[in-house]
Amino acid sequence: MTATPPGTNLLGRETSPYLLQHKDNPVHWMPWGPEAFARARAENKPVLLSVGYAACHWCHVMAHESFENPAIAARMNELFVNIKVDREERPDVDHIYQSALALLGQQGGWPLTMFLTADAEPFWGGTYFPPAPRYGRGGFPDVLRGVAESYAEEPDKVTRNVSALKAALESQAENRAAGAIDPSMLDQIASRLAREVDPVHGGIGSAPKFPQMPLFELLWRAWQRTGQAPYREAVVNTLANMAQGGIYDHLGGGFARYSVDERWLAPHFEKMLYDNAALVDLMTLVWQDTRDPLLEARIRETVGWVQREMIAEGGGFAATLDADSEGEEGRFYVWSETEIDRLLGPDAGFFKQVYDVTPHGNWEGTTILNRLGRLELAEPEAEARLAANRETLLRARAKRVRPGWDDKVLADWNGQMSAALVHAGLALDEPEWIDAAGRAFAFVRDRMNDGGNRLHHSWRAGQLRTPGMLDDYAGMARAALALHEATGDPAALDQARDWTAVLDAHFWDAAAGGYFFTADDAEGLIVRTKSAYDNATPNGNGTMLAVLATLFHRTGEDAYRERAEAVAAAFSGELTRNFFPLTTFLNAVEFLHTPTQVVIVGPPKAPETEALRRAVLDRSLPNRILTLLPPGADLPAGHPAQGKGMKEGRATAYVCTGTTCSAPVTSPADLGGALPRRQP
């Protein structure tokens, strides 16, 4: 028997804001764990698994319609053992059952509603179910009754579904190797992906549209390799439409998770830390080439939002802001013409023309502020006037009921945002951004571990949850290397090495190559997943491929290069199946093959040294490895610039590709000429 008596909602003892949102439901929710499955076995009931997250609009809708409904809750309690999971806290669980739903031929997403055996094996599922039939979906009470009857009366059918799904999940976890990847394949893949880009509004395909920044980074890299303008245009146009669309919060900064329309006008209003990290990273890379003032403004505003609204206790970055407030999606963010007129007075007409404010609105009778009518910024005087107007509206908006804030700190997402802030801080010469990244990094390193180098995935209210997964170690190692490049702190490099050693010891698949998503001593789930596919966040194997390549060039240790090549080979066969979700991996493959190593030898902080450093940081170089070397120090044995020093007592730079380096250069102009250039 289980330790807790039935008839109890057990979520009140959790720390996840999403789980706590459901602690007062009449549903007898249990958290994921052995106690729940033991109860299912003891009571001979199937399990209803519900997965969502705190900022999810449709999760709130299903909660209000069904989980707060006493009659529906009673049916859930009668027929099932009910488990509630925060997908951000347990991405390992979410990934397995999202994959199972896809294998059933259904579109995934949240809320995820899966039906499992008492051994956690899936046999059927869906996403959102309405309380009565609509949207072409069965009513949830009827679904509950039908699933329970099938489980009780058709055990053979359930067994067949379980067997087929489990076999397919195990097959998905088997990577396909096909030897080394020919770098020329990257151009073929870029050409194919570019055909999926909306030439008018940017983004991939039609509605709904997601940012998909690793894919657009791949196209940006293709532009830099080939000089073919369509690649550049696809990226620049996509970023401009997003930056001026309603998916961007024009008052407070930051981007929503995705747009429900093809124009980027109407978002689901939740803001996720990881999306904004990816957007800051790519906008920075593109701005280094274009110097577009729109991108600079959006970088600065988004970083401002992170610093103002997303710092959790201790300096870590919080996870999300909700889509809903006062029970309505977007209520915090939308406006009426009457409000704009009242608040802006004589300036209202000008502001309304720029920001698409009309009497009837552009979304459900209200207005989502956007500037899609003109993608370029206005003249400086007009922009200053608009900035004052926005500040007035922002002050007024601050008096509204705010959306929910999920302040849990996730190691992988913190790694992504820390690295993005370092990259942007270096490019735009904002040392405070690098300091903020360092504080978040230190929080995860010092507060989210087991007393050594084993990370935990989630922290909130002083409590750690879930042992660290591949993405946690990969994201944080990437952040460590970014901080090492920015500060030269050897401890950051050592930390990246230590976390990589943990992955090699506990996550590496010695038989088939690649890193598993979970450690060998983690909770045993029905399948131990392994993939190079991106999901909502960049894939850990792809991220680690770039980390390993960087470690090789930083340390000169061949073991890192060999491991990087093994990761690339382990998933090379996936390119023949589906390369669309492999873009983080493919970007890292290019980095592995063609890094741009720049070594600057000179007194730290000296004007000549800084001028050379600025010449590098001002260029869009996605494969950059920049090393500042004080006079008298040396590089690892085997580094192509090993043994090289200053020329005629002046700060000197070397640009190295493969095993060869450029002649020494001492002027920023000459250094700019030695850096890689686009093909004509």
Side-chain angles (χ1 to χ4, degrees), residues 416-434:
Q416 292 170 51
M417 182 55 78
S418 295
L421 288 180
V422 171
H423 298 154
L426 287 173
L428 276 73
D429 197 17
E430 291 286 354
E432 167 52 28
W433 299 358
I434 300 170

Side-chain angles (χ1 to χ4, degrees), residues 362-401:
N362 53 31
W363 182 73
E364 298 183 1
T366 64
T367 292
I368 299 171
L369 299 179
N370 73 91
R371 298 180 65 169
L372 288 168
R374 178 183 175 185
L375 296 183
E376 302 82 13
L377 292 181
E379 296 301 315
E381 301 89 308
E383 286 298 334
R385 185 179 171 192
L386 291 168
N389 296 157
R390 292 196 302 270
E391 186 60 33
T392 298
L393 296 181
L394 184 63
R395 287 196 300 269
R397 194 177 79 176
K399 300 175 184 177
R400 297 176 178 177
V401 176

Side-chain angles (χ1 to χ4, degrees), residues 55-58 60-61 258 260 266-270 322-334 363-364 366:
C56 167
H57 169 68
W58 283 102
H60 300 327
V61 172
Y258 70 98
V260 301
H268 269 317
F269 290 86
E270 63 263 39
D322 208 328
D324 296 11
S325 56
E326 300 183 77
E328 293 182 24
E329 181 186 14
R331 183 182 179 97
F332 182 75
Y333 297 101
V334 298
W363 182 73
E364 298 183 1
T366 64

Side-chain angles (χ1 to χ4, degrees), residues 256-302:
R257 189 166 76 92
Y258 70 98
S259 173
V260 301
D261 65 283
E262 66 180 7
R263 296 179 58 231
W264 305 103
L265 170 65
H268 269 317
F269 290 86
E270 63 263 39
K271 292 182 185 177
M272 321 297 288
L273 187 70
Y274 62 81
D275 281 323
N276 285 279
L279 279 153
V280 167
D281 244 344
L282 184 62
M283 288 191 298
T284 298
L285 197 60
V286 175
W287 175 82
Q288 286 172 307
D289 183 87
T290 66
R291 288 300 191 273
D292 183 352
L294 172 62
L295 291 185
E296 180 175 353
R298 296 298 179 259
I299 294 166
R300 292 186 179 280
E301 292 160 0
T302 300

Side-chain angles (χ1 to χ4, degrees), residues 576-651:
T576 62
R577 293 206 303 173
N578 183 11
F579 52 73
F580 274 74
L582 287 169
T583 48
T584 296
F585 173 77
L586 291 168
N587 292 336
V589 167
E590 188 200 43
F591 178 55
L592 174 64
H593 285 288
T594 55
T596 299
Q597 297 190 75
V598 182
V599 177
I600 299 173
V601 186
K605 306 298 184 181
E608 287 184 346
T609 306
E610 287 299 303
L612 292 174
R613 181 171 177 260
R614 195 74 251 159
V616 178
L617 297 176
D618 284 347
R619 287 282 290 274
S620 181
L621 298 169
N623 295 331
R624 180 188 79 209
I625 300 177
L626 173 61
T627 302
L628 300 183
L629 201 66
D634 207 350
L635 294 163
H639 192 289
Q642 203 265 340
K644 299 182 183 293
M646 294 195 299
K647 179 182 178 183
E648 299 175 354
R650 300 178 61 190

Side-chain angles (χ1 to χ4, degrees), residues 168-437:
L169 289 169
E170 290 172 348
S171 177
Q172 281 188 345
E174 296 174 355
N175 51 294
R176 272 74 171 172
I181 297 174
D182 185 342
S184 67
M185 289 186 66
L186 297 175
D187 291 336
Q188 300 172 37
I189 290 169
S191 176
R192 176 66 185 87
L193 291 174
R195 296 202 293 271
E196 300 299 318
V197 177
D198 179 343
V200 177
H201 306 295
I204 298 297
S206 57
K209 280 184 175 172
F210 293 81
Q212 301 193 54
M213 290 298 99
L215 188 152
F216 284 94
E217 181 185 330
L218 184 145
L219 296 180
W220 185 255
R221 288 167 171 271
W223 145 248
Q224 294 199 314
R225 282 195 311 273
T226 68
Q228 294 181 22
Y231 294 135
R232 180 185 188 276
E233 178 61 23
V235 178
V236 169
N237 186 48
T238 294
L239 290 177
N241 275 275
M242 291 184 66
Q244 296 289 56
I247 192 174
Y248 182 72
D249 179 358
H250 289 264
L251 300 184
F255 291 82
R257 189 166 76 92
Y258 70 98
S259 173
V260 301
D261 65 283
E262 66 180 7
R263 296 179 58 231
W264 305 103
L265 170 65
H268 269 317
F269 290 86
E270 63 263 39
K271 292 182 185 177
M272 321 297 288
L273 187 70
Y274 62 81
D275 281 323
N276 285 279
L279 279 153
V280 167
D281 244 344
L282 184 62
M283 288 191 298
T284 298
L285 197 60
V286 175
W287 175 82
Q288 286 172 307
D289 183 87
T290 66
R291 288 300 191 273
D292 183 352
L294 172 62
L295 291 185
E296 180 175 353
R298 296 298 179 259
I299 294 166
R300 292 186 179 280
E301 292 160 0
T302 300
V303 173
W305 163 73
V306 171
Q307 293 184 306
R308 185 180 65 252
E309 299 187 30
M310 298 302 286
I311 305 295
E313 179 185 349
F317 297 121
T320 65
L321 280 176
D322 208 328
D324 296 11
S325 56
E326 300 183 77
E328 293 182 24
E329 181 186 14
R331 183 182 179 97
F332 182 75
Y333 297 101
V334 298
W335 296 86
S336 69
E337 183 184 44
T338 302
E339 289 176 298
I340 301 294
D341 288 339
R342 176 174 57 83
L343 290 164
L344 297 185
D347 262 0
F350 173 59
F351 184 88
K352 289 190 297 184
Q353 182 179 19
V354 173
Y355 281 95
D356 189 28
V357 181
T358 62
H360 302 293
N362 53 31
W363 182 73
E364 298 183 1
T366 64
T367 292
I368 299 171
L369 299 179
N370 73 91
R371 298 180 65 169
L372 288 168
R374 178 183 175 185
L375 296 183
E376 302 82 13
L377 292 181
E379 296 301 315
E381 301 89 308
E383 286 298 334
R385 185 179 171 192
L386 291 168
N389 296 157
R390 292 196 302 270
E391 186 60 33
T392 298
L393 296 181
L394 184 63
R395 287 196 300 269
R397 194 177 79 176
K399 300 175 184 177
R400 297 176 178 177
V401 176
R402 293 187 59 80
W405 186 47
D406 188 332
D407 60 343
K408 67 176 177 289
V409 178
L410 302 173
D412 53 343
W413 297 10
N414 269 254
Q416 292 170 51
M417 182 55 78
S418 295
L421 288 180
V422 171
H423 298 154
L426 287 173
L428 276 73
D429 197 17
E430 291 286 354
E432 167 52 28
W433 299 358
I434 300 170
D435 292 342

